[in-house]
Amino acid sequence: MKISYNWLKQFIKTDLKSDETASLLTDLGLEVEGIEKYQSIKGGLEGIVVGHVLTCVQHPNADRLKVTTVDLGTGAPVQIVCGAANVAAGQKVPVATIGTTLYDKDGNSFQIKKGKIRDQESHGMICAEDELGLGSSHDGIMVLDDKYAPGTPASKVFNIENDEVFEIGLTPNRADAMSHLGVARDLRAGMLQTNAHTELITPSVSNFRVDKRTLKMDIKVEDAKMAPRYCGVTISGIVVKQSPEWLQNRLKAIGLTPKNNIVDVTNYVMHELGQPLHAFDAAKIKGNKVIVKTVAAGTKFTTLDDVERTLHEEDLMICDENGPMCIAGVFGGKNSGVSENTTSIFLESAYFNPVCIRKSAKRHGLNTDASFRFERGIDPTITEYALKRAALLIQEVAGGEITSDIIDIYPKKIEDFPVFLNFAKATKIIGQELSKETIKKILVSLDIKVNSVSDAGLGLIIPSYRVDVQREIDVIEEILRVYGYNNVNFTKKFNATVSNSARTEDYKVQNIIATQLNSQGFNEMMANSLTSPEYVKLSEMLREEFNVLIMNPLSNDLSAMRQSLLFSGLEAVSYNINRKNSDLKLFEFGKSYHKLPSGYTENKHLTLFTTGNRLSESWNTPQKPSDFFLFKGYVMGILSRLGIEKTNNKPVESDVFAEGIAIAVGNDTIVELGTIKKSVLKHFDIKQEVLFADFNWNTVLKLISNKIKFTDIPKYPEVRRDLALLVDENVAFDSIYTIARQTEKSLLKDINLFDVYEGKNLPEGKKSYAVSFIIQDSSKTLTDAQIDKIMGKLKHNLETELGAVLR
């Protein structure tokens, strides 16, 4: 949110420098993220002075140029070549001196330099209004009033406004500070703590009066719950034109583009007081009736941006006899807005239900300045005041007369909030005892009324516009932020206890695995838990009725909690590939969410993704894509690091894999991994192979042990024996591994497949496995006889159970 310092000073008189004010606002909770300089004319006309043209003669070498001598108030006149047809001796003109920076209409800068034009020296430039940013005319140079002395800075002639604009990072709870008045209120409270005598100056509306009663609008509010307060008045005889310079400067300073004097006033009052307003062309309101109601679902309505929208049955609309004119509190309609031909208006000021406005804004994908304020909760007490303020400003900038009484429909007043503040509770939370007078002074500076006083505490009345202060703890927070967090005393002694926590705490295990994966080239990702509900259609294992849907989604693509981490991961993979980063290793710790018949549940997961080449491109390393076996190695490395052993493989259940396996301990599946189906990848426009692993993290945490096992380093050597086995082509290495483990359980330490061959010189339907066996006895050196006996058993069992033959 942008706040103009010049504008802020209209509410509160202060001599504080901008950086001091920014520091105070930040301490008060309105964090100033930056201060920008604003000038009504870019560059502030620095280097532009009034010049007196002494002589003007024809350029000897150019028919369209003149050679002038100009007095710049420095003593010696300078020669300037000018191409304007209207330049003449005796004129007072704006001159850009040597070194001055000018800006074109696109904001690009160029510097005035000494030069020669057709062999004649030129020491500056006599300027037209568009060259100075003072207008759009380029018919000739500007001719100034003769009263200005040569050398007078142009900034004094044209009254350039210089301002400083605060960029405030407003938190969602501070609806009361969404205006210059709201920020001024907080600033006053902060300044009062330093005993500075500061008053809040609000614009007067005492001059408001009804001139005639010739244009009455009948107003009917059908749903007082959705529109608790609605005010309106008519103004006739206005002239729609460009706003005066002061009004344009105020809006430009905070980043708004002026439209016309009527629209600009409504925007001005909204940013001044925090009350959104809307002006309707009164001639376009059929039957002179304004009806605040909902309309039938499916009704078509064209908004100001020329987009036809389909209305929802809960959208609150401002209607006339013929139908909708405006989405209440969100966006105006195309056919009822103010145009250059408008001569009379109906001016609306209202308080709408925040939930209603938020739903409509999100439903239609609209985020306007008005909806931003309405959906957070504005001040219901200033509705009529803001209407009068805007009406007087419109009369000031557009003329016209007030032609109706103010109609204020407010059937049930929104009451202030009663809260009791306990002094002991405040001391406990703040950590320091503040005097009762200090507390009362702070509360009064925040417009919080002290209704009763006792030894125990204060009975308070909170203004209705402070929707974020409705509990005792909220009041304590208000006291603390105004008193100043930096002013709270604390002792130099800190007491702490050391707790004995298990090694298997979730965050510790996650850090261990994250460190391991990072060392292997993986990058951690964190995807949004909100996703598209349509993704469940990509897998039959996921069901649409299990989606956890969001009641007020930001968009349709973020309207459900994810049932799987796969699809959000594929979004990240696709995003990277589309930006020429196609070699990826990603992992994520996250949760999936499910709405089951038994109730809501969420599960923890660790997911891995690899795609593209396994190593970065290099002149001495051939490119090789990531494959299933390398990927499985990463998975097994995680299990090994966590001490999860005695796993078994079983068929994968998830249908998102083209091929894959599940790894289990007993009957508990701990991870599924494999290659993602092309049909799933196509949905994300991914054309390269993607490998995916999904760990059931809850199961992993149950299986890991809090104990560390140590073994001595073996004193005796290990022995390796290799077998080249000819087996049927349908025999998997897992079968050989299982048989070998069952054959020798104590001395067989490792089994490794180091070569697979299929092709010529082998019988049809056969393949060759080259397998190494590591044998070791930790208590003695193995003899050849023992080794041969073990290998004999292995050969026999492989021949018997698999039909394997030694090559």
Side-chain angles (χ1 to χ4, degrees), residues 331-404:
F331 211 30
K334 179 182 178 183
N335 299 321
S336 63
V338 173
S339 68
E340 59 185 10
N341 299 319
T342 299
T343 58
S344 60
I345 63 170
F346 170 71
L347 188 62
E348 164 197 280
S349 178
Y351 177 85
F352 297 119
N353 183 288
V355 176
C356 165
I357 300 304
R358 178 173 175 78
K359 285 184 176 181
S360 289
K362 298 305 178 185
R363 196 178 289 127
H364 296 289
L366 295 169
N367 184 20
T368 62
D369 284 338
S371 69
F372 177 82
R373 286 160 175 79
F374 276 126
E375 66 190 32
R376 284 162 175 78
I378 62 171
D379 184 357
T381 65
I382 66 165
T383 310
E384 183 181 4
Y385 170 71
L387 187 67
K388 290 180 178 180
R389 169 67 169 157
L392 289 172
L393 283 175
I394 287 173
Q395 285 186 295
E396 178 184 335
V397 302
E401 297 176 314
I402 308 296
T403 51
S404 76

Side-chain angles (χ1 to χ4, degrees), residues 182-412:
V183 174
R185 273 194 304 245
D186 257 24
L187 184 59
R188 177 194 60 174
M191 294 174 67
L192 285 173
Q193 303 316 304
T194 61
N195 296 317
H197 180 69
T198 307
E199 293 183 3
L200 193 64
I201 305 168
T202 54
S204 173
V205 294
S206 59
N207 291 332
F208 179 88
R209 70 178 187 276
V210 179
D211 299 301
K212 298 176 181 177
R213 291 176 174 82
T214 55
L215 183 57
K216 181 183 177 182
M217 290 288 171
D218 292 327
I219 301 177
K220 181 180 180 182
V221 177
E222 294 190 357
D223 191 336
K225 184 177 180 181
M226 298 177 80
R229 188 174 189 183
Y230 192 89
C231 295
V233 71
T234 63
I235 308 173
S236 302
I238 63 170
V239 178
V240 179
K241 57 184 178 181
Q242 193 177 57
S243 294
E245 191 173 313
W246 70 266
L247 179 52
Q248 292 194 47
N249 285 338
R250 284 285 180 265
L251 298 179
K252 288 178 180 177
I254 59 174
L256 297 182
T257 302
K259 305 292 184 184
N260 59 56
N261 49 1
I262 305 301
V263 174
D264 290 350
V265 165
T266 61
N267 283 331
Y268 179 88
V269 173
M270 175 173 63
H271 287 274
E272 179 185 52
L273 304 178
Q275 171 67 56
L277 304 163
H278 190 71
F280 299 87
D281 188 328
K284 298 176 182 177
I285 301 177
K286 304 303 179 185
N288 284 359
K289 290 185 178 180
V290 176
I291 308 167
V292 184
K293 64 177 184 177
T294 57
V295 296
T299 302
K300 302 297 182 182
F301 177 66
T302 303
T303 45
L304 279 171
D305 55 359
D306 208 25
V307 175
E308 185 180 73
R309 303 181 188 275
T310 302
L311 300 178
H312 188 271
E313 66 268 17
E314 293 182 0
D315 289 334
L316 186 65
M317 305 298 296
I318 311 299
C319 306
D320 61 9
E321 281 188 341
N322 287 0
M325 298 187 296
C326 172
I327 304 176
V330 180
F331 211 30
K334 179 182 178 183
N335 299 321
S336 63
V338 173
S339 68
E340 59 185 10
N341 299 319
T342 299
T343 58
S344 60
I345 63 170
F346 170 71
L347 188 62
E348 164 197 280
S349 178
Y351 177 85
F352 297 119
N353 183 288
V355 176
C356 165
I357 300 304
R358 178 173 175 78
K359 285 184 176 181
S360 289
K362 298 305 178 185
R363 196 178 289 127
H364 296 289
L366 295 169
N367 184 20
T368 62
D369 284 338
S371 69
F372 177 82
R373 286 160 175 79
F374 276 126
E375 66 190 32
R376 284 162 175 78
I378 62 171
D379 184 357
T381 65
I382 66 165
T383 310
E384 183 181 4
Y385 170 71
L387 187 67
K388 290 180 178 180
R389 169 67 169 157
L392 289 172
L393 283 175
I394 287 173
Q395 285 186 295
E396 178 184 335
V397 302
E401 297 176 314
I402 308 296
T403 51
S404 76
D405 291 309
I406 289 180
I407 299 175
D408 185 2
I409 301 177
Y410 196 14
K412 185 178 179 181

Side-chain angles (χ1 to χ4, degrees), residues 718 737 741 744-751 773-778:
E718 63 182 28
Y737 185 91
R741 282 295 185 193
E744 178 53 57
K745 297 180 179 179
S746 59
L747 300 181
L748 187 57
K749 301 302 182 183
D750 192 20
I751 308 161
F773 300 89
I774 305 298
I775 306 170
Q776 187 180 41
D777 190 333
S778 58

Side-chain angles (χ1 to χ4, degrees), residues 50 107 151 167 261 347 598 618 625 662 683 708 731 738 750-751 753-754 804:
V50 174
E167 182 65 47
N261 49 1
L347 188 62
S598 58
S618 175
H683 186 84
I708 300 176
V731 173
T738 302
D750 192 20
I751 308 161
L753 176 67
F754 63 89

